[in-house]
Amino acid sequence: MHIFAAMPPRKTGRPALALCFILLMACCRPAAHAATPSPDTSPIDLQHTSWTIRDGAPPVVLTMAQTTDGWLWLGASSGLFRFDGVRFERYQLDERDERDERGNRRAAPLPATAISILSAQPSGALWIGYRFGGASLLRAGRLRNYDQRDGLPDNAPVWGLEPDASGRVWAATSVGMYHLDGERWLAAAPSWGLPLSYFKTLMRDRHHVLWAQGELGVYSLAPGAQRFRKASPDSGTGVLFEVPDGSVWSWDARHNQLHRLTAADRGAPGRQWRLRGDVASLAFDRRGDLWVGRQAGLEYHTDHGVARTGPHQGLSGNAVGAILEDREGNIWAATTNGIDRFRSKQLSEVTIPDNGGRTPLAADAEGGAWLGRFHATGSDPAVVTALWPRAAIPWHNLMTCAYRAPDGVLWVGGYGGLWRKQGGRPRRIALPSGVEGGQINSLVQDHDGGLWAAIATRGLYRLDPRGGWEKRGGKDGLPEEAPRSMAGDDGGLWFAYPHNRLLQREHGRWRDWGAADGLAIGMTMALHLHGDHVWAGGENGLALRQGSRFVAVTGVGGQAFPGISGVVELDNGDVWLNGGAGLYRIAAGEIARLARDAGYRVRYQGLDSADGLEGNAPLLLPTPSLVQATDHRLWVSTTAGVFRFDPSLRPAVAPAAPVLIRSVSVQGQERAPVAGMRLPPGTDTLQITYTALALAMPERVGFRYRLDGVDRYWQDAGHRRAAYYHNLGPGDYRFEVLSSSYDGVWGGQPATLAFSVAPTLVQTWWFRSLGAMALLAAGWMGYRWRIRRLVHQMVLRLEARLDERERIARELHDSFLQSVHALMLNVNAAVLRLPTPEPARVMIDKALQQAGDVLREGRAKVRGLRSGAGTADLAAALRMAGDHLRPPNGAALQLQVEGKVRGLHRLVQEETLAIANEAIANAYRHARAARIVVELHYHPDELRLAVRDDGIGVPPDVMAAGGRQDHWGFPGMRERALRIKARLVLSSADQAGTTWTMTLPAALAYETAARRYAARNA
């Protein structure tokens, strides 16, 4: 619940003016009038985050509420705001929100900006009251305003809005109580038992009892009752609240007293609270602890005492005007300059005097720890005392390592100093001669009680139990340089050196471990021994010894855990790491799985500043930076200080917060996300903003999104709360966005938004159809033009060939044949002079007869060259060819003619006839066909010739080779078809006959068409 500034009642005819004066005095009152915190009061030990006006937070917030969807609502004198944990936004129903996609008005805007009360309802609705009169109901994005026209008093502040057990809504105003009857507000009748006076607070408890507090006392309305009952006279005149034990309390602002109005549930003992000084606001949290807002800061009252946080501790402003606990347990405090959030943190800081961090740690035997030259108890809060006085030289106060030996002795090393503490006061141990100013990196004790000290730039030394120092570096196989870190247990000693090198001393012998054994972590800065496990943490990651090798430990997503300076394995098998980016926890089950699969990437949880950890793990010094105390709590040293926490008290894994799509931006203009919204034509760039209403740690919430039709897979947005798309086209889309929990677990249902992009004129289907038709028409016209060009070129070639044939015929007739005929006449004249019985005459006569045959054949060829073949009947020529080629016992040729017979171009007819002759000849000679059919089709678009037989078919090898070897019939037919641009197809199957099909366009085949095309394109 939230409780804002409690004001004493004012009996005046101008309550608004009086209220403004009181608020002004509350905000401007000097701090000397408030309760002054004692100097030894500690600040509130909770995770604290503040937002000021510079961060967008509204100033002087007087009321806060959280609706069921997760929004944090803030009511201020400057208006209504809401907050999602990342961004503040003023809530106003502007033109974008007021009108739907069709432009119809959806709701009225806020009637005023000075807000006095916000009341969130379980239904998700939000009641809003105003300081100068009136109220509003915000529900499902629609706003219903009420003012004096609806029955509310004019210019009277509304300080409370709450329904009773029957659902009747009541309003507490400065002139009395009102209730809503349908759509009209009615003043409380005398039968309700309420006085006509100033009322300040309304509250409904867990038993559905409605409580009202005003200047004349506190009144309650039980479920089913029709009359309010007045509480005891000393019930106070300030505010009301219910504490977790079920009791109802009243704050008496006049007398600075708390009054308990009802007993706690189940007879629980009540806690006593003592408040002094001016109180601006009050609230009880779910633990029953009290939060008090004052003019100079915020107080947190618990059984352990009072903690205070003011502007000097980071509070956003001075006076705290409103306090609210949200559903996640966060405490929100509104100040004069901003908003603050307090939440529980897993780690708490242990304050060390005169120390800025980088403190070596060692656990004591009573749950506390030694922190360099200080000791901290295990109590809450920890009590820190110095083990020895501060040195005059600041350099000598810097401690670099701490070690608690198995015999309980504490050893602390620093720059040029070594201290030993057992029982009483610590004493300083003199270092070996010549190394007085050295830096001690690490300490460890062996089985014989000797203390090994690694002194930087000096080497490795051992302190004998009898008190003598011996340098061991450079002896017994040990390097000359000092190890970076050391560890030891019953199994022996381990020393870490640069460049992936470890030395293990076991049974008096040294074993060298290196890169060949799986070490790949660079400089080892932390060694931890636990049972059979040997952990090595370094600058580049973490390694675990398994058997005779070290295995690299890598987290999911490739997390290498760099910069580790502290490792602790708990008794339950969990491993904690202090690394460069925070604390990491690897569960025991993940370690067990790694033992089975060396390449397994472990899952892990991280703790960082969101959990109360400040600073980073120290890179080189001090050592160690992470230890476990005897009470099982872990102590952590960072560059910012020392922290401790209980690893067994991990917060429950919270589910992923619901995702809300906030806006759709097109060309820089935001639009409200409405399902099925239609974006304007030409929209190709889009920004969709979204958020997850998780207020505790919004910086840990991750997002994934995808757009159907664009994204094939989920897009990982990290913590970004906006999606960007470019080059979108028109169509229907569906956007989905999913959020993760604080621990990175994805779950829940994604938020969705279906929308469409309207097409531009050139993107409409009918425009594209017209365009496609125009393109097809252009293509068809281009194709026709191309065909005409080809026909024209073909006709010209045919005419040229015919002209050439006629020229050759003329030349043969006029020269060659005439010369041959003249020669024959001369020879014949000479033969007549020879005697008849002359044998030579007989031979010459025979030669002349042969020459006459040649002459007749030549004349026939000339006739063929000059003949008008285009006018001859192709069908008759085919019949003659069939009769000529048919063998004595062969089947008669069957001729089928379809279509109107047309004259063919002479060359086309010759080539067609030659192709048919070859096909008919093959059918008679090779196919053994019983039936041969020639089909001649005179179609308007083409000439088609088909020669079919039912013979044995063409062998597959002949088909594959394109003809028989050394036979030129098939190639000749194809050459003739190519010559006249005809398409010739052979189809044949074994024992299924053969079919030759030739097709030729009409423009090339028919004489009249060819001449027409030629004339048109000449």
Side-chain angles (χ1 to χ4, degrees):
M1 69 176 298
H2 67 274
I3 305 297
F4 50 87
M7 304 300 166
R10 293 288 187 268
K11 296 182 180 180
T12 174
R14 305 180 65 184
L17 181 61
L19 177 63
C20 292
F21 175 76
I22 294 169
L23 291 174
L24 181 64
M25 294 299 295
C27 294
C28 301
R29 183 176 300 175
H33 292 279
T36 303
S38 58
D40 58 347
T41 301
S42 61
I44 299 174
D45 188 21
L46 295 174
Q47 186 68 19
H48 175 207
T49 307
S50 64
W51 293 267
T52 65
I53 298 176
R54 290 180 296 180
D55 304 310
V60 194
V61 172
L62 296 181
T63 177
M64 295 186 288
Q66 186 181 28
T67 48
T68 55
D69 56 10
W71 281 108
L72 179 65
W73 296 86
L74 311 172
S77 59
S78 56
L80 179 64
F81 298 80
R82 63 181 183 179
F83 186 48
D84 64 352
V86 175
R87 174 187 172 189
F88 294 91
E89 65 177 26
R90 178 187 294 273
Y91 190 83
Q92 54 185 4
L93 293 174
D94 56 16
E95 193 68 23
R96 170 174 63 91
D97 292 320
E98 289 179 41
R99 301 185 181 275
D100 58 20
E101 288 301 306
R102 297 181 179 179
N104 299 323
R105 195 175 185 86
R106 298 192 304 171
L110 292 174
T113 58
I115 296 174
S116 56
I117 182 64
L118 296 175
S119 179
Q121 302 302 312
S123 63
L126 179 69
W127 279 100
I128 307 168
Y130 302 98
R131 287 173 52 189
F132 300 105
S136 299
L137 176 63
L138 180 61
R139 179 167 51 196
R142 297 176 180 271
L143 193 69
R144 172 67 167 93
N145 295 324
Y146 299 92
D147 53 22
Q148 67 273 11
R149 293 171 295 182
D150 303 293
L152 285 175
D154 186 20
N155 203 30
V158 176
W159 292 111
L161 288 162
E162 197 71 37
D164 59 21
S166 64
R168 182 186 299 107
V169 180
W170 290 83
T173 77
S174 60
V175 295
M177 292 280 289
Y178 286 74
H179 64 86
L180 184 62
D181 185 7
E183 289 296 316
R184 186 161 186 82
W185 291 90
L186 303 176
S191 60
W192 285 105
L194 293 170
L196 187 63
S197 64
Y198 192 108
F199 277 87
K200 184 61 185 293
T201 308
L202 288 179
M203 185 203 71
R204 190 173 64 172
D205 64 21
R206 68 185 64 178
H207 303 292
H208 306 289
V209 176
L210 180 66
W211 296 83
Q213 186 175 40
E215 63 180 354
L216 299 181
V218 178
Y219 299 81
S220 64
L221 179 65
Q226 297 298 316
R227 185 178 180 85
F228 282 84
R229 182 180 62 85
K230 187 176 181 180
S232 58
D234 61 349
S235 55
T237 58
V239 289
L240 295 161
F241 32 78
E242 182 182 22
V243 298
D245 62 11
S247 59
V248 175
W249 291 70
S250 170
W251 166 248
D252 187 347
R254 286 179 176 175
H255 305 95
N256 280 354
Q257 291 181 353
L258 283 169
H259 300 280
R260 188 168 67 178
L261 305 181
T262 65
D265 293 341
R266 302 183 183 87
R271 296 167 66 178
Q272 300 297 321
W273 306 101
R274 293 175 59 89
L275 296 178
R276 293 178 300 174
D278 292 337
V279 174
S281 54
L282 290 170
F284 283 96
D285 61 24
R286 63 185 59 181
R287 293 175 297 273
D289 296 330
L290 178 62
W291 293 81
V292 181
R294 296 188 182 274
Q295 301 303 319
L298 182 67
E299 291 181 356
Y300 182 33
H301 294 244
T302 67
D303 290 335
H304 301 292
V306 179
R308 295 181 177 88
T309 293
H312 293 294
Q313 290 79 33
L315 200 67
S316 61
N318 291 316
V320 178
I323 305 173
L324 169 75
E325 182 180 26
D326 66 21
R327 63 188 183 189
E328 296 181 70
N330 305 306
I331 299 296
W332 296 86
T335 72
T336 54
N337 194 44
I339 303 295
D340 293 77
R341 181 189 64 198
F342 293 85
R343 63 174 175 82
S344 60
K345 55 184 180 180
Q346 193 163 350
L347 294 92
S348 59
E349 184 175 5
V350 179
T351 303
I352 305 174
D354 304 325
N355 193 294
R358 294 182 176 86
T359 303
L361 307 174
D364 65 12
E366 291 81 27
W370 288 292
L371 319 175
R373 70 180 188 92
F374 295 90
H375 177 264
T377 62
S379 59
D380 291 313
V383 178
V384 179
T385 57
L387 298 179
W388 59 84
R390 179 178 176 83
I393 302 176
W395 194 255
H396 292 168
N397 293 299
L398 297 179
M399 301 296 104
T400 56
C401 63
Y403 172 68
R404 182 168 178 258
D407 56 9
V409 177
L410 171 68
W411 297 88
V412 180
Y415 286 90
L418 176 65
W419 286 264
R420 180 181 187 275
K421 183 181 185 303
Q422 185 177 25
R425 295 180 59 83
R427 62 186 181 91
R428 185 165 183 169
I429 305 299
L431 294 178
S433 176
V435 299
E436 291 82 358
Q439 166 191 305
I440 302 178
N441 289 340
S442 183
L443 298 166
V444 70
Q445 184 173 294
D446 58 24
H447 293 302
D448 300 328
L451 181 71
W452 297 71
I455 305 177
T457 70
R458 304 295 198 274
L460 179 64
Y461 291 81
R462 181 179 183 272
L463 177 62
D464 188 85
R466 293 184 296 272
W469 287 98
E470 177 187 7
K471 184 175 182 180
R472 300 301 299 268
K475 298 180 180 180
D476 303 328
L478 292 172
E480 186 72 26
E481 62 182 318
R484 177 59 189 82
S485 59
M486 300 184 295
D489 61 5
D490 295 338
L493 298 178
W494 287 81
F495 295 166
Y497 292 89
H499 309 303
N500 298 310
R501 186 183 185 190
L502 294 178
L503 289 180
Q504 176 191 10
R505 184 186 184 190
E506 188 176 19
H507 306 302
R509 302 183 61 183
W510 293 98
R511 176 177 176 178
D512 206 327
W513 300 79
D517 304 297
L519 277 175
I521 59 174
M523 171 71 78
T524 300
M525 299 181 293
L527 284 169
H528 179 71
L529 312 178
H530 189 277
D532 296 333
H533 287 171
V534 177
W535 296 93
E539 57 177 332
N540 298 328
L542 177 69
L544 169 64
R545 189 190 70 171
Q546 291 185 351
S548 59
R549 289 188 58 81
F550 277 87
V551 176
V553 182
T554 304
V556 293
Q559 173 62 263
F561 308 110
I564 296 176
S565 61
V567 182
V568 170
E569 180 177 354
L570 307 182
D571 292 337
N572 65 359
D574 292 353
V575 176
W576 285 87
L577 313 172
N578 189 16
L583 279 169
Y584 303 99
R585 170 187 171 267
I586 305 175
E590 296 296 294
I591 302 300
R593 187 167 179 180
L594 177 66
R596 299 189 299 268
D597 180 8
Y600 174 68
R601 294 193 171 189
V602 299
R603 292 176 296 179
Y604 62 93
Q605 290 83 41
L607 300 181
D608 51 26
S609 59
D611 303 283
L613 182 68
E614 302 295 336
N616 301 317
L619 182 60
L620 293 175
L621 293 174
T623 57
S625 65
L626 180 66
V627 297
Q628 185 179 23
T630 55
D631 63 355
H632 304 295
R633 285 192 288 187
L634 291 176
W635 293 69
V636 187
S637 177
T638 71
T639 56
V642 175
F643 304 81
R644 66 174 176 175
F645 67 101
D646 188 346
S648 64
L649 299 179
R650 294 188 300 274
V653 177
V659 186
L660 175 69
I661 298 177
R662 298 181 60 173
S663 65
V664 178
S665 297
V666 179
Q667 299 176 352
Q669 295 183 351
E670 284 192 357
R671 295 170 175 261
V674 179
M677 63 188 304
R678 188 171 178 85
L679 302 182
T683 299
D684 60 352
T685 300
L686 196 67
Q687 175 182 336
I688 303 175
T689 60
Y690 48 83
T691 187
L693 299 174
L695 301 179
M697 292 182 286
E699 64 276 7
R700 283 193 175 177
V701 177
F703 296 93
R704 292 175 178 172
Y705 62 80
R706 65 181 175 187
L707 185 63
D708 283 352
V710 177
D711 298 323
R712 186 176 180 183
Y713 305 103
W714 285 96
Q715 305 297 312
D716 190 353
H719 306 302
R720 178 166 46 86
R721 301 188 176 212
Y724 304 93
Y725 288 97
H726 303 278
N727 302 321
L728 290 179
D732 297 328
Y733 296 93
R734 178 183 173 86
F735 179 75
E736 296 179 300
V737 58
L738 190 67
S739 68
S740 73
S741 67
Y742 297 140
D743 299 296
V745 179
W746 300 94
Q749 295 297 321
T752 60
L753 175 65
F755 64 92
S756 62
V757 177
T760 60
L761 175 64
V762 298
Q763 292 174 332
T764 56
W765 67 268
W766 56 267
F767 186 90
R768 292 187 175 184
S769 299
L770 291 177
M773 294 174 62
L775 184 61
L776 290 174
W780 173 249
M781 293 177 64
Y783 171 75
R784 296 284 296 175
W785 176 84
R786 178 63 177 167
I787 292 298
R788 289 176 180 176
R789 293 291 299 170
L790 292 176
V791 169
H792 175 65
Q793 295 174 4
M794 186 64 187
V795 169
L796 292 179
R797 291 176 185 175
L798 291 177
E799 294 294 338
R801 292 179 64 181
L802 289 176
D803 292 343
E804 182 67 14
R805 286 163 61 101
E806 290 180 353
R807 185 188 66 77
I808 293 173
R810 287 194 302 270
E811 293 294 332
L812 289 175
H813 181 271
D814 296 342
S815 59
F816 178 74
L817 293 182
Q818 295 294 339
S819 299
V820 172
H821 188 263
L823 179 62
M824 290 178 61
L825 291 177
N826 291 332
V827 173
N828 186 51
V831 169
L832 293 177
R833 296 182 180 184
L834 293 176
T836 303
E838 180 64 36
R841 182 173 178 172
V842 175
M843 296 177 62
I844 293 174
D845 287 338
K846 189 174 182 179
L848 286 173
Q849 292 177 359
Q850 293 178 350
D853 294 337
V854 171
L855 183 60
R856 286 189 292 274
E857 184 176 358
R859 286 175 176 172
K861 293 296 184 180
V862 170
R863 285 195 301 271
L865 289 173
R866 296 183 63 89
S867 63
T871 61
D873 188 356
L874 179 58
L878 290 173
R879 290 190 184 95
M880 293 178 59
D883 294 340
H884 178 71
L885 295 173
R886 185 179 67 176
N889 298 324
L893 182 70
Q894 299 179 22
L895 180 63
Q896 299 176 1
V897 180
E898 294 182 5
K900 181 181 178 180
V901 179
R902 304 187 184 191
L904 304 181
H905 195 282
R906 287 176 294 174
L907 183 60
V908 170
Q909 181 160 323
E910 287 183 5
E911 299 295 353
T912 302
L913 183 59
I915 292 172
N917 284 343
E918 184 66 27
I920 295 170
N922 288 334
Y924 278 126
R925 294 172 187 169
H926 306 293
R928 306 172 196 169
R931 184 172 181 266
I932 302 175
V933 179
V934 177
E935 299 174 356
L936 183 60
H937 301 270
Y938 290 94
H939 288 286
D941 296 332
E942 65 179 8
L943 172 70
R944 185 165 71 249
L945 173 71
V947 179
R948 309 178 189 277
D949 66 64
D950 59 356
I952 61 175
V954 181
D957 57 338
V958 177
M959 288 282 292
R964 299 179 184 275
Q965 188 175 5
D966 298 331
H967 288 71
W968 310 106
F970 285 7
M973 295 171 70
R974 294 189 176 94
E975 290 171 0
R976 290 179 183 274
L978 183 62
R979 191 177 304 159
I980 61 175
K981 306 299 182 183
R983 182 171 178 264
L984 183 63
V985 178
L986 168 64
S987 60
S988 179
D990 190 20
Q991 304 300 323
T994 303
T995 299
W996 286 92
T997 304
M998 187 200 80
T999 55
L1000 185 64
L1004 297 177
Y1006 305 140
E1007 184 180 32
T1008 56
R1011 292 185 182 279
R1012 185 166 57 251
Y1013 272 105
R1016 186 182 303 168
N1017 295 278

